[in-house]
Amino acid sequence: MGSALEKGDYVDINIVLEGDMLTKVDRMCMRNSLEARVPFLDSKIVEAAFRMPIEYKLNGKNKKYILKETFKDLLPKRTLKFSKKGFSAPIDYWLKSELNAELRKVISKEFIRSQNIFNHEEIQHIYNEHMNETENHAGKLWNLYVFQKWYQKKILEQPKLKPTVQRI
């Protein structure tokens, strides 16, 4: 295993797919009573792909070069030009709907000032821009929300340790 691409492929197969992507697909399919198949993860296909020279796998920025070349006579040209689109959790929707009240609590002036960690005015500015849809700050707000929930659980709800006197 030498090149960055080969190392990336190895990480994808051994960590990312199993621990993240395939888990999400499986859960979403089960939740909606769907049966999903991942035909390109057949062990023989994966082994063949690992043995293939890098120049067959990539052609400039075209990351699905082999697949597109293989099926170019069978698929419409516009299908071959589609860009890759993943799906992610609907964080923006959650922040504007079911999590909004909780988000407002953990970014309130009182809570932020009691922590003495963040600048409340800056957070309020980011929140307002996001809610007014002038900027998309979903990632920042999600990270802040997750941090604040951790902070509440691990810092505020932890029993206070009694100071101990150490004798010399």
Side-chain angles (χ1 to χ4, degrees):
M1 191 170 24
S3 74
L5 179 64
E6 290 168 321
K7 290 175 183 174
D9 286 347
Y10 181 84
V11 169
D12 281 348
I13 292 292
N14 291 287
I15 297 171
V16 177
L17 287 172
E18 180 183 347
D20 182 43
M21 294 178 183
L22 294 176
T23 303
K24 289 176 186 172
V25 169
D26 191 44
R27 287 182 185 161
M28 290 299 106
C29 288
M30 285 191 294
R31 171 95 166 95
N32 293 287
S33 301
L34 296 172
E35 185 68 33
R37 296 282 184 252
V38 191
F40 295 127
L41 286 183
D42 176 86
S43 60
K44 291 178 183 171
I45 293 174
V46 172
E47 289 167 9
F50 269 104
R51 286 192 305 269
M52 215 173 270
I54 293 172
E55 56 270 14
Y56 290 172
K57 297 178 187 182
L58 291 176
N59 184 0
K61 292 185 178 183
N62 188 350
K63 295 178 182 168
K64 295 189 177 185
Y65 182 68
I66 299 168
L67 188 61
K68 290 176 180 179
E69 279 297 305
T70 302
F71 296 103
K72 70 181 177 187
D73 297 335
L74 301 171
L75 295 171
K77 283 189 174 39
R78 75 175 244 228
T79 300
L80 297 171
K81 292 181 182 179
F82 281 155
S83 61
K84 185 175 178 178
K85 293 182 178 134
F87 67 83
S88 58
I91 292 168
D92 186 42
Y93 173 78
W94 292 340
L95 293 173
K96 290 178 179 176
S97 59
E98 58 213 62
L99 292 181
N100 190 264
E102 187 64 27
L103 175 62
R104 284 196 324 267
K105 284 181 195 172
V106 298
I107 66 167
S108 69
K109 183 183 262 186
E110 300 77 29
F111 191 73
I112 295 295
R113 292 221 168 125
S114 74
Q115 289 176 294
N116 200 26
I117 298 172
F118 302 108
N119 179 316
H120 177 262
E121 289 74 25
E122 182 63 24
I123 289 173
Q124 195 61 50
H125 177 75
I126 290 169
Y127 175 83
N128 291 339
E129 280 188 344
H130 187 76
M131 294 303 153
N132 295 331
E133 297 183 354
T134 54
E135 291 288 334
N136 183 351
H137 294 298
K140 291 176 187 174
L141 290 170
W142 177 253
N143 287 337
L144 179 61
Y145 175 77
V146 170
F147 174 82
Q148 295 294 62
K149 297 306 287 181
W150 171 86
Y151 183 89
Q152 283 179 319
K153 186 170 183 72
K154 294 295 183 184
I155 306 299
L156 299 180
E157 294 176 11
Q158 287 292 333
K160 301 293 181 211
L161 296 174
K162 293 181 183 175
T164 58
V165 177
Q166 200 173 34
R167 304 209 186 264
I168 302 177

